[in-house]
PDB file of all heavy atoms in Angstrom:
ATOM      1  N   ILE A 776       9.596  -1.118  -8.392  1.00  0.00           N
ATOM      2  CA  ILE A 776       9.770  -0.323  -7.171  1.00  0.00           C
ATOM      3  C   ILE A 776       9.864   1.146  -7.550  1.00  0.00           C
ATOM      4  O   ILE A 776      10.596   1.516  -8.468  1.00  0.00           O
ATOM      5  CB  ILE A 776      11.013  -0.795  -6.394  1.00  0.00           C
ATOM      6  CG1 ILE A 776      10.769  -2.207  -5.841  1.00  0.00           C
ATOM      7  CG2 ILE A 776      11.350   0.179  -5.261  1.00  0.00           C
ATOM      8  CD1 ILE A 776      11.934  -2.826  -5.106  1.00  0.00           C
ATOM      9  N   VAL A 777       9.088   1.980  -6.834  1.00  0.00           N
ATOM     10  CA  VAL A 777       9.123   3.416  -7.128  1.00  0.00           C
ATOM     11  C   VAL A 777       9.823   4.204  -6.028  1.00  0.00           C
ATOM     12  O   VAL A 777      10.326   5.307  -6.274  1.00  0.00           O
ATOM     13  CB  VAL A 777       7.710   3.999  -7.396  1.00  0.00           C
ATOM     14  CG1 VAL A 777       7.136   3.434  -8.671  1.00  0.00           C
ATOM     15  CG2 VAL A 777       6.767   3.758  -6.237  1.00  0.00           C
ATOM     16  N   TRP A 778       9.866   3.671  -4.819  1.00  0.00           N
ATOM     17  CA  TRP A 778      10.502   4.381  -3.702  1.00  0.00           C
ATOM     18  C   TRP A 778      10.779   3.362  -2.603  1.00  0.00           C
ATOM     19  O   TRP A 778      10.036   2.390  -2.449  1.00  0.00           O
ATOM     20  CB  TRP A 778       9.562   5.476  -3.188  1.00  0.00           C
ATOM     21  CG  TRP A 778      10.190   6.408  -2.192  1.00  0.00           C
ATOM     22  CD1 TRP A 778      10.872   7.556  -2.465  1.00  0.00           C
ATOM     23  CD2 TRP A 778      10.209   6.266  -0.760  1.00  0.00           C
ATOM     24  NE1 TRP A 778      11.317   8.131  -1.305  1.00  0.00           N
ATOM     25  CE2 TRP A 778      10.926   7.364  -0.236  1.00  0.00           C
ATOM     26  CE3 TRP A 778       9.697   5.323   0.118  1.00  0.00           C
ATOM     27  CZ2 TRP A 778      11.138   7.550   1.129  1.00  0.00           C
ATOM     28  CZ3 TRP A 778       9.912   5.493   1.480  1.00  0.00           C
ATOM     29  CH2 TRP A 778      10.614   6.610   1.969  1.00  0.00           C
ATOM     30  N   GLN A 779      11.841   3.576  -1.844  1.00  0.00           N
ATOM     31  CA  GLN A 779      12.102   2.711  -0.695  1.00  0.00           C
ATOM     32  C   GLN A 779      13.014   3.401   0.291  1.00  0.00           C
ATOM     33  O   GLN A 779      13.764   4.311  -0.062  1.00  0.00           O
ATOM     34  CB  GLN A 779      12.701   1.369  -1.131  1.00  0.00           C
ATOM     35  CG  GLN A 779      13.989   1.443  -1.918  1.00  0.00           C
ATOM     36  CD  GLN A 779      14.431   0.062  -2.397  1.00  0.00           C
ATOM     37  OE1 GLN A 779      14.424  -0.900  -1.629  1.00  0.00           O
ATOM     38  NE2 GLN A 779      14.789  -0.032  -3.674  1.00  0.00           N
ATOM     39  N   ASP A 780      12.924   2.976   1.554  1.00  0.00           N
ATOM     40  CA  ASP A 780      13.907   3.370   2.565  1.00  0.00           C
ATOM     41  C   ASP A 780      14.169   2.141   3.438  1.00  0.00           C
ATOM     42  O   ASP A 780      13.842   1.016   3.038  1.00  0.00           O
ATOM     43  CB  ASP A 780      13.454   4.615   3.350  1.00  0.00           C
ATOM     44  CG  ASP A 780      12.285   4.356   4.300  1.00  0.00           C
ATOM     45  OD1 ASP A 780      11.824   3.190   4.398  1.00  0.00           O
ATOM     46  OD2 ASP A 780      11.843   5.311   4.962  1.00  0.00           O
ATOM     47  N   GLU A 781      14.728   2.332   4.597  1.00  0.00           N
ATOM     48  CA  GLU A 781      15.109   1.169   5.422  1.00  0.00           C
ATOM     49  C   GLU A 781      13.906   0.432   6.011  1.00  0.00           C
ATOM     50  O   GLU A 781      14.033  -0.708   6.457  1.00  0.00           O
ATOM     51  CB  GLU A 781      16.096   1.582   6.522  1.00  0.00           C
ATOM     52  CG  GLU A 781      15.520   2.483   7.619  1.00  0.00           C
ATOM     53  CD  GLU A 781      15.577   3.971   7.273  1.00  0.00           C
ATOM     54  OE1 GLU A 781      15.578   4.320   6.066  1.00  0.00           O
ATOM     55  OE2 GLU A 781      15.590   4.779   8.218  1.00  0.00           O
ATOM     56  N   ASN A 782      12.732   1.072   6.012  1.00  0.00           N
ATOM     57  CA  ASN A 782      11.544   0.467   6.638  1.00  0.00           C
ATOM     58  C   ASN A 782      10.443   0.068   5.675  1.00  0.00           C
ATOM     59  O   ASN A 782       9.596  -0.761   6.015  1.00  0.00           O
ATOM     60  CB  ASN A 782      10.932   1.462   7.644  1.00  0.00           C
ATOM     61  CG  ASN A 782      11.881   1.819   8.751  1.00  0.00           C
ATOM     62  OD1 ASN A 782      12.463   0.939   9.375  1.00  0.00           O
ATOM     63  ND2 ASN A 782      12.060   3.107   9.000  1.00  0.00           N
ATOM     64  N   VAL A 783      10.430   0.674   4.508  1.00  0.00           N
ATOM     65  CA  VAL A 783       9.262   0.598   3.629  1.00  0.00           C
ATOM     66  C   VAL A 783       9.698   0.445   2.168  1.00  0.00           C
ATOM     67  O   VAL A 783      10.722   1.009   1.770  1.00  0.00           O
ATOM     68  CB  VAL A 783       8.433   1.906   3.792  1.00  0.00           C
ATOM     69  CG1 VAL A 783       7.478   2.120   2.650  1.00  0.00           C
ATOM     70  CG2 VAL A 783       7.678   1.895   5.113  1.00  0.00           C
ATOM     71  N   VAL A 784       8.915  -0.333   1.409  1.00  0.00           N
ATOM     72  CA  VAL A 784       9.114  -0.415  -0.045  1.00  0.00           C
ATOM     73  C   VAL A 784       7.791  -0.051  -0.719  1.00  0.00           C
ATOM     74  O   VAL A 784       6.721  -0.492  -0.284  1.00  0.00           O
ATOM     75  CB  VAL A 784       9.543  -1.842  -0.478  1.00  0.00           C
ATOM     76  CG1 VAL A 784       9.710  -1.922  -1.988  1.00  0.00           C
ATOM     77  CG2 VAL A 784      10.842  -2.248   0.215  1.00  0.00           C
ATOM     78  N   ALA A 785       7.861   0.750  -1.780  1.00  0.00           N
ATOM     79  CA  ALA A 785       6.667   1.126  -2.546  1.00  0.00           C
ATOM     80  C   ALA A 785       6.851   0.639  -3.978  1.00  0.00           C
ATOM     81  O   ALA A 785       7.863   0.933  -4.615  1.00  0.00           O
ATOM     82  CB  ALA A 785       6.469   2.639  -2.510  1.00  0.00           C
ATOM     83  N   PHE A 786       5.883  -0.139  -4.458  1.00  0.00           N
ATOM     84  CA  PHE A 786       5.984  -0.683  -5.817  1.00  0.00           C
ATOM     85  C   PHE A 786       4.617  -0.646  -6.492  1.00  0.00           C
ATOM     86  O   PHE A 786       3.575  -0.588  -5.825  1.00  0.00           O
ATOM     87  CB  PHE A 786       6.562  -2.114  -5.805  1.00  0.00           C
ATOM     88  CG  PHE A 786       5.844  -3.076  -4.891  1.00  0.00           C
ATOM     89  CD1 PHE A 786       4.783  -3.838  -5.348  1.00  0.00           C
ATOM     90  CD2 PHE A 786       6.238  -3.224  -3.562  1.00  0.00           C
ATOM     91  CE1 PHE A 786       4.118  -4.734  -4.515  1.00  0.00           C
ATOM     92  CE2 PHE A 786       5.580  -4.119  -2.718  1.00  0.00           C
ATOM     93  CZ  PHE A 786       4.525  -4.871  -3.195  1.00  0.00           C
ATOM     94  N   ARG A 787       4.621  -0.704  -7.828  1.00  0.00           N
ATOM     95  CA  ARG A 787       3.369  -0.589  -8.580  1.00  0.00           C
ATOM     96  C   ARG A 787       2.535  -1.859  -8.453  1.00  0.00           C
ATOM     97  O   ARG A 787       3.068  -2.973  -8.521  1.00  0.00           O
ATOM     98  CB  ARG A 787       3.658  -0.282 -10.056  1.00  0.00           C
ATOM     99  CG  ARG A 787       4.393   1.018 -10.215  1.00  0.00           C
ATOM    100  CD  ARG A 787       4.136   1.735 -11.522  1.00  0.00           C
ATOM    101  NE  ARG A 787       4.953   2.952 -11.531  1.00  0.00           N
ATOM    102  CZ  ARG A 787       4.591   4.115 -10.995  1.00  0.00           C
ATOM    103  NH1 ARG A 787       3.388   4.256 -10.472  1.00  0.00           N
ATOM    104  NH2 ARG A 787       5.401   5.161 -10.999  1.00  0.00           N
ATOM    105  N   ASP A 788       1.222  -1.649  -8.256  1.00  0.00           N
ATOM    106  CA  ASP A 788       0.307  -2.785  -8.199  1.00  0.00           C
ATOM    107  C   ASP A 788       0.309  -3.492  -9.558  1.00  0.00           C
ATOM    108  O   ASP A 788       0.295  -2.845 -10.611  1.00  0.00           O
ATOM    109  CB  ASP A 788      -1.104  -2.321  -7.842  1.00  0.00           C
ATOM    110  CG  ASP A 788      -1.986  -3.464  -7.385  1.00  0.00           C
ATOM    111  OD1 ASP A 788      -2.336  -4.328  -8.230  1.00  0.00           O
ATOM    112  OD2 ASP A 788      -2.340  -3.501  -6.193  1.00  0.00           O
ATOM    113  N   ILE A 789       0.328  -4.810  -9.529  1.00  0.00           N
ATOM    114  CA  ILE A 789       0.392  -5.605 -10.761  1.00  0.00           C
ATOM    115  C   ILE A 789      -0.899  -5.488 -11.575  1.00  0.00           C
ATOM    116  O   ILE A 789      -0.906  -5.737 -12.781  1.00  0.00           O
ATOM    117  CB  ILE A 789       0.702  -7.083 -10.410  1.00  0.00           C
ATOM    118  CG1 ILE A 789       1.320  -7.808 -11.595  1.00  0.00           C
ATOM    119  CG2 ILE A 789      -0.518  -7.806  -9.880  1.00  0.00           C
ATOM    120  CD1 ILE A 789       1.948  -9.147 -11.236  1.00  0.00           C
ATOM    121  N   SER A 790      -1.966  -5.081 -10.926  1.00  0.00           N
ATOM    122  CA  SER A 790      -3.269  -4.983 -11.590  1.00  0.00           C
ATOM    123  C   SER A 790      -3.895  -3.624 -11.257  1.00  0.00           C
ATOM    124  O   SER A 790      -4.859  -3.536 -10.490  1.00  0.00           O
ATOM    125  CB  SER A 790      -4.141  -6.148 -11.103  1.00  0.00           C
ATOM    126  OG  SER A 790      -5.343  -6.189 -11.777  1.00  0.00           O
ATOM    127  N   PRO A 791      -3.343  -2.557 -11.844  1.00  0.00           N
ATOM    128  CA  PRO A 791      -3.700  -1.204 -11.388  1.00  0.00           C
ATOM    129  C   PRO A 791      -5.163  -0.834 -11.636  1.00  0.00           C
ATOM    130  O   PRO A 791      -5.734  -1.151 -12.670  1.00  0.00           O
ATOM    131  CB  PRO A 791      -2.755  -0.299 -12.197  1.00  0.00           C
ATOM    132  CG  PRO A 791      -2.286  -1.113 -13.348  1.00  0.00           C
ATOM    133  CD  PRO A 791      -2.339  -2.544 -12.923  1.00  0.00           C
ATOM    134  N   LEU A 792      -5.723  -0.133 -10.657  1.00  0.00           N
ATOM    135  CA  LEU A 792      -7.112   0.318 -10.736  1.00  0.00           C
ATOM    136  C   LEU A 792      -7.197   1.804 -11.071  1.00  0.00           C
ATOM    137  O   LEU A 792      -8.298   2.351 -11.179  1.00  0.00           O
ATOM    138  CB  LEU A 792      -7.820   0.051  -9.397  1.00  0.00           C
ATOM    139  CG  LEU A 792      -7.917  -1.424  -9.003  1.00  0.00           C
ATOM    140  CD1 LEU A 792      -8.434  -1.559  -7.578  1.00  0.00           C
ATOM    141  CD2 LEU A 792      -8.823  -2.179  -9.968  1.00  0.00           C
ATOM    142  N   ALA A 793      -6.064   2.444 -11.239  1.00  0.00           N
ATOM    143  CA  ALA A 793      -6.009   3.881 -11.552  1.00  0.00           C
ATOM    144  C   ALA A 793      -4.644   4.142 -12.180  1.00  0.00           C
ATOM    145  O   ALA A 793      -3.735   3.316 -12.063  1.00  0.00           O
ATOM    146  CB  ALA A 793      -6.192   4.697 -10.275  1.00  0.00           C
ATOM    147  N   PRO A 794      -4.489   5.308 -12.869  1.00  0.00           N
ATOM    148  CA  PRO A 794      -3.183   5.600 -13.482  1.00  0.00           C
ATOM    149  C   PRO A 794      -2.031   5.504 -12.483  1.00  0.00           C
ATOM    150  O   PRO A 794      -0.955   5.017 -12.819  1.00  0.00           O
ATOM    151  CB  PRO A 794      -3.370   7.034 -14.003  1.00  0.00           C
ATOM    152  CG  PRO A 794      -4.839   7.130 -14.284  1.00  0.00           C
ATOM    153  CD  PRO A 794      -5.505   6.321 -13.209  1.00  0.00           C
ATOM    154  N   THR A 795      -2.259   5.973 -11.280  1.00  0.00           N
ATOM    155  CA  THR A 795      -1.300   5.712 -10.194  1.00  0.00           C
ATOM    156  C   THR A 795      -1.926   4.700  -9.248  1.00  0.00           C
ATOM    157  O   THR A 795      -3.012   4.935  -8.701  1.00  0.00           O
ATOM    158  CB  THR A 795      -0.972   7.005  -9.418  1.00  0.00           C
ATOM    159  OG1 THR A 795      -0.155   7.843 -10.237  1.00  0.00           O
ATOM    160  CG2 THR A 795      -0.213   6.703  -8.132  1.00  0.00           C
ATOM    161  N   HIS A 796      -1.292   3.552  -9.102  1.00  0.00           N
ATOM    162  CA  HIS A 796      -1.714   2.558  -8.115  1.00  0.00           C
ATOM    163  C   HIS A 796      -0.443   1.913  -7.564  1.00  0.00           C
ATOM    164  O   HIS A 796       0.149   1.030  -8.178  1.00  0.00           O
ATOM    165  CB  HIS A 796      -2.635   1.500  -8.731  1.00  0.00           C
ATOM    166  CG  HIS A 796      -3.252   0.577  -7.715  1.00  0.00           C
ATOM    167  ND1 HIS A 796      -4.262  -0.309  -8.019  1.00  0.00           N
ATOM    168  CD2 HIS A 796      -2.999   0.406  -6.384  1.00  0.00           C
ATOM    169  CE1 HIS A 796      -4.597  -0.989  -6.931  1.00  0.00           C
ATOM    170  NE2 HIS A 796      -3.831  -0.575  -5.923  1.00  0.00           N
ATOM    171  N   VAL A 797      -0.040   2.426  -6.426  1.00  0.00           N
ATOM    172  CA  VAL A 797       1.215   1.992  -5.801  1.00  0.00           C
ATOM    173  C   VAL A 797       0.886   1.371  -4.451  1.00  0.00           C
ATOM    174  O   VAL A 797       0.021   1.863  -3.712  1.00  0.00           O
ATOM    175  CB  VAL A 797       2.178   3.201  -5.646  1.00  0.00           C
ATOM    176  CG1 VAL A 797       3.412   2.819  -4.840  1.00  0.00           C
ATOM    177  CG2 VAL A 797       2.579   3.742  -7.028  1.00  0.00           C
ATOM    178  N   LEU A 798       1.573   0.280  -4.139  1.00  0.00           N
ATOM    179  CA  LEU A 798       1.434  -0.372  -2.837  1.00  0.00           C
ATOM    180  C   LEU A 798       2.610   0.041  -1.966  1.00  0.00           C
ATOM    181  O   LEU A 798       3.767  -0.053  -2.394  1.00  0.00           O
ATOM    182  CB  LEU A 798       1.412  -1.893  -3.004  1.00  0.00           C
ATOM    183  CG  LEU A 798       0.301  -2.432  -3.907  1.00  0.00           C
ATOM    184  CD1 LEU A 798       0.461  -3.940  -4.113  1.00  0.00           C
ATOM    185  CD2 LEU A 798      -1.078  -2.123  -3.330  1.00  0.00           C
ATOM    186  N   ILE A 799       2.318   0.520  -0.776  1.00  0.00           N
ATOM    187  CA  ILE A 799       3.358   0.949   0.163  1.00  0.00           C
ATOM    188  C   ILE A 799       3.366  -0.069   1.293  1.00  0.00           C
ATOM    189  O   ILE A 799       2.353  -0.267   1.977  1.00  0.00           O
ATOM    190  CB  ILE A 799       3.082   2.379   0.663  1.00  0.00           C
ATOM    191  CG1 ILE A 799       3.027   3.335  -0.539  1.00  0.00           C
ATOM    192  CG2 ILE A 799       4.155   2.811   1.657  1.00  0.00           C
ATOM    193  CD1 ILE A 799       2.599   4.746  -0.201  1.00  0.00           C
ATOM    194  N   VAL A 800       4.513  -0.742   1.450  1.00  0.00           N
ATOM    195  CA  VAL A 800       4.554  -1.974   2.249  1.00  0.00           C
ATOM    196  C   VAL A 800       5.713  -1.901   3.249  1.00  0.00           C
ATOM    197  O   VAL A 800       6.858  -1.637   2.847  1.00  0.00           O
ATOM    198  CB  VAL A 800       4.777  -3.189   1.302  1.00  0.00           C
ATOM    199  CG1 VAL A 800       4.772  -4.488   2.072  1.00  0.00           C
ATOM    200  CG2 VAL A 800       3.726  -3.211   0.196  1.00  0.00           C
ATOM    201  N   PRO A 801       5.457  -2.138   4.538  1.00  0.00           N
ATOM    202  CA  PRO A 801       6.585  -2.204   5.473  1.00  0.00           C
ATOM    203  C   PRO A 801       7.436  -3.446   5.206  1.00  0.00           C
ATOM    204  O   PRO A 801       6.904  -4.498   4.850  1.00  0.00           O
ATOM    205  CB  PRO A 801       5.909  -2.290   6.850  1.00  0.00           C
ATOM    206  CG  PRO A 801       4.545  -2.805   6.587  1.00  0.00           C
ATOM    207  CD  PRO A 801       4.167  -2.368   5.191  1.00  0.00           C
ATOM    208  N   ARG A 802       8.749  -3.303   5.354  1.00  0.00           N
ATOM    209  CA  ARG A 802       9.621  -4.476   5.184  1.00  0.00           C
ATOM    210  C   ARG A 802       9.317  -5.536   6.240  1.00  0.00           C
ATOM    211  O   ARG A 802       9.442  -6.733   5.987  1.00  0.00           O
ATOM    212  CB  ARG A 802      11.098  -4.060   5.300  1.00  0.00           C
ATOM    213  CG  ARG A 802      11.560  -3.171   4.146  1.00  0.00           C
ATOM    214  CD  ARG A 802      13.031  -2.792   4.311  1.00  0.00           C
ATOM    215  NE  ARG A 802      13.436  -1.840   3.298  1.00  0.00           N
ATOM    216  CZ  ARG A 802      13.855  -2.182   2.065  1.00  0.00           C
ATOM    217  NH1 ARG A 802      13.931  -3.448   1.726  1.00  0.00           N
ATOM    218  NH2 ARG A 802      14.208  -1.246   1.206  1.00  0.00           N
ATOM    219  N   LYS A 803       8.923  -5.093   7.423  1.00  0.00           N
ATOM    220  CA  LYS A 803       8.585  -6.022   8.512  1.00  0.00           C
ATOM    221  C   LYS A 803       7.283  -6.739   8.171  1.00  0.00           C
ATOM    222  O   LYS A 803       6.309  -6.094   7.773  1.00  0.00           O
ATOM    223  CB  LYS A 803       8.431  -5.211   9.809  1.00  0.00           C
ATOM    224  CG  LYS A 803       8.132  -6.022  11.046  1.00  0.00           C
ATOM    225  CD  LYS A 803       8.064  -5.077  12.256  1.00  0.00           C
ATOM    226  CE  LYS A 803       7.734  -5.823  13.528  1.00  0.00           C
ATOM    227  NZ  LYS A 803       7.631  -4.892  14.684  1.00  0.00           N
ATOM    228  N   HIS A 804       7.267  -8.056   8.330  1.00  0.00           N
ATOM    229  CA  HIS A 804       6.045  -8.799   8.011  1.00  0.00           C
ATOM    230  C   HIS A 804       5.026  -8.653   9.136  1.00  0.00           C
ATOM    231  O   HIS A 804       5.157  -9.252  10.200  1.00  0.00           O
ATOM    232  CB  HIS A 804       6.337 -10.290   7.770  1.00  0.00           C
ATOM    233  CG  HIS A 804       5.090 -11.047   7.397  1.00  0.00           C
ATOM    234  ND1 HIS A 804       4.636 -11.133   6.091  1.00  0.00           N
ATOM    235  CD2 HIS A 804       4.186 -11.698   8.155  1.00  0.00           C
ATOM    236  CE1 HIS A 804       3.509 -11.822   6.072  1.00  0.00           C
ATOM    237  NE2 HIS A 804       3.213 -12.183   7.323  1.00  0.00           N
TER     238      HIS A 804
END
Side-chain angles (χ1 to χ4, degrees):
I776 292 177
V777 293
W778 189 89
Q779 58 185 314
D780 71 2
E781 68 273 26
N782 299 310
V783 162
V784 179
F786 53 90
R787 299 209 182 275
D788 196 291
I789 203 166
S790 185
L792 297 171
T795 288
H796 188 170
V797 173
L798 302 174
I799 301 173
V800 182
R802 293 180 186 275
K803 182 178 179 182
H804 182 86

